Amino acid sequence: MSGSGSAMEGDVLTLNGTMVRLRGIDAPDAGQICRSLRGAEYDCFAAARDQLQSMLDLGPVTCRLSELDRSQQRVGVCRVLGKDLAAAMLVRGWAFAYSHLSHDYHGLEARAQARRAGMWAGRVEAPWLWRTRKLNEKGVSER
């Protein structure tokens, strides 16, 4: 499948009207806030989405779709100009390797951390931990 893509999240794009989750990564969620090196808060969801969009703007997107995720969303490996978008998001420091689902990107996240690239320049919480914390906070506030 190929065409022009649009970033919906840092790890989700639309391609010809089909939502595709990038295989093997997890990016900050909507509402997730990170801190810069100096401690200033910023919207790391928007920063990750914008980074993905800037790569999508470079040319046609080609995705090789594989399975459906647990929410029945298409999952795939997508490329622009031959570059794997998930790997590029990891190297640039705007995504986490989802190693329990895929070992394809082992080491790329650590490389970004060592270089303090992207969100690694400051403080960030893994999206799956952030989601769990938000669910727990919501549960406590509803009691």
Side-chain angles (χ1 to χ4, degrees), residues 22-43:
L22 296 176
R23 185 174 184 276
I25 66 169
D26 195 6
D29 285 347
Q32 190 169 346
I33 301 298
C34 294
R35 291 190 181 276
S36 72
L37 185 60
R38 290 185 163 68
E41 291 186 346
Y42 70 95
D43 184 343

Side-chain angles (χ1 to χ4, degrees), residues 23-136:
R23 185 174 184 276
I25 66 169
D26 195 6
D29 285 347
Q32 190 169 346
I33 301 298
C34 294
R35 291 190 181 276
S36 72
L37 185 60
R38 290 185 163 68
E41 291 186 346
Y42 70 95
D43 184 343
C44 46
F45 167 82
R49 183 192 60 221
D50 293 349
Q51 178 64 53
L52 179 58
Q53 186 62 53
S54 71
M55 291 186 289
L56 293 171
D57 290 342
L58 295 174
V61 182
T62 303
C63 292
R64 191 180 76 244
L65 302 180
S66 53
E67 71 274 10
L68 296 174
D69 67 11
R70 65 177 172 251
S71 59
Q72 301 303 298
Q73 193 170 41
R74 297 298 239 156
V75 177
V77 175
C78 298
R79 299 178 181 279
V80 171
L81 302 175
K83 303 276 187 201
D84 181 330
L85 292 173
M89 288 296 287
L90 285 166
V91 168
R92 287 173 169 81
W94 294 109
F96 292 79
Y98 223 167
S99 54
H100 77 276
L101 293 179
S102 169
H103 296 287
D104 294 348
Y105 305 112
H106 182 73
L108 294 181
E109 179 183 320
R111 205 162 88 197
Q113 286 177 341
R115 290 186 9 259
R116 302 186 71 77
M119 62 190 166
W120 299 114
R123 294 186 61 218
V124 60
E125 184 175 18
W128 54 90
L129 297 176
W130 184 83
R131 286 189 291 268
T132 300
R133 185 171 55 78
K134 287 297 178 184
L135 284 172
N136 288 339

